[in-house]
Amino acid sequence: MTESGKGVLLAAPRGYCAGVDRAVETVEKALEKYGAPVYVRKEIVHNKYVVKTLRDRGVIFVDETDEVPEGANLVFSAHGVSPAVRESARSLQLNTLDATCPLVTKVHNEAKRFARDGYHILLVGHGGHEEVEGTQGEAPEVTHLVDGLDGVNALPDFPQDQKLVWLSQTTLSVDETMQIVNKLHERYPHLENPPSDDICYATQNRQVAVKAIAPKVELMVVVGSRNSSNSRRLVEVALEAGADAAYLVDYARQIDDEWLAGVSTVGVTSGASVPEILVREVVDYLAERGYTRVEEVTTATETITFALPRTLRPARVER
Ligand code: 2E6
Ligand code: F3S
């Protein structure tokens, strides 16, 4: 890092995005308004610490709507749900609050519109991820999952006159997705592009920031949970961009001191579902081991915010 010893390069932007902020606040406001328990379908965001903190405050996380007592309050997670899940909640007369990120909803709306217009949809994403399941559920008969470069070979042949468009999960690696899309265009020359990027601003910004510091560090520590797609992508991007090693940790205590052997500069970043306190703990942990010089490298400034679901917004004061 510098002539004088060991240090940390801290990526910015990192951590909470606007969609995660809104989702966590939705649950907190629901607890205030309705009292515990509030039910949440799946993890509100893919972060162990966030889930544990909310569980301690009276949130009950369930896998499916049929585990929720009739009439109870249920929050849909930031990753979105299929129409079938909405219908199931309606039939159980649950009071639902939708914490789906608006940028995920945007992809759902694209899927609905293209399906209505007679397209088949090639959905680039990771099989089994909740966001992918939700988006696929908008038009299951005409949506084909493309999971990785090899996923392109697994697709069927389509007739020449079959309209095709690709869409994607919001949290993919930008570079890997471009490779997949290039391969899709080679196989289906008449494939159309979506009207706008589906990989969201937060995913893209965090990857750009990691790329800026990766060539300068021997070790990159990414704070995030194993099931967090955007966090995992940061580890891959760091390695691709030149970091000698990169690891994903939920907590500072998971850093193995052997990783630090011979390392003079550590890069630190965090996924979009990670509270800043966890990054602070990592920075403190590293400082205790001599990495006292901390430099923040900022590649973008984020100002975007999303309004809470309507029923949780503060009442407007009549004048
Ligand atoms: C919703 C949609 C996208 O695993 P993934 O990266 O999708 O999710 P989180 O919860 O780690 O990140 C936020 C998020 C929520 N990203
Ligand atoms: Fe939304 Fe992107 Fe965050 S899709 S929840 S803004 S990572």
Side-chain angles (χ1 to χ4, degrees), residues 20 45-46 78-79 104 129 131 170-171 227-230 273:
V20 166
V45 296
H46 290 150
H79 314 94
V104 173
H129 190 283
E131 180 187 329
T170 56
T171 53
N227 59 344
S228 168
S229 167
N230 78 87
S273 47

Side-chain angles (χ1 to χ4, degrees), residues 85-129:
V85 170
R86 285 184 197 282
E87 184 44 44
S88 157
R90 214 173 289 127
S91 70
L92 290 164
Q93 294 177 318
L94 304 179
N95 175 38
T96 55
L97 295 150
D98 192 357
T100 303
C101 175
L103 300 181
V104 173
T105 303
K106 187 205 84 170
V107 184
H108 280 233
N109 290 339
E110 286 172 346
K112 277 191 270 196
R113 180 163 67 80
F114 282 114
R116 199 187 323 117
D117 292 348
Y119 284 77
H120 274 235
I121 297 162
L122 309 183
L123 178 64
V124 183
H126 297 291
H129 190 283

Side-chain angles (χ1 to χ4, degrees), residues 194-243:
S196 62
D197 270 348
D198 290 336
I199 301 180
C200 75
Y201 81 95
T203 299
Q204 297 195 32
N205 286 347
R206 281 151 191 68
Q207 289 175 16
V208 169
V210 160
K211 281 186 189 178
I213 62 174
K216 303 173 188 160
V217 305
E218 296 103 324
L219 167 69
M220 181 80 72
V221 175
V222 178
V223 187
S225 293
R226 299 229 72 79
N227 59 344
S228 168
S229 167
N230 78 87
S231 305
R232 291 178 71 129
R233 301 294 79 81
L234 294 177
V235 173
E236 295 166 2
V237 168
L239 292 170
E240 282 278 315

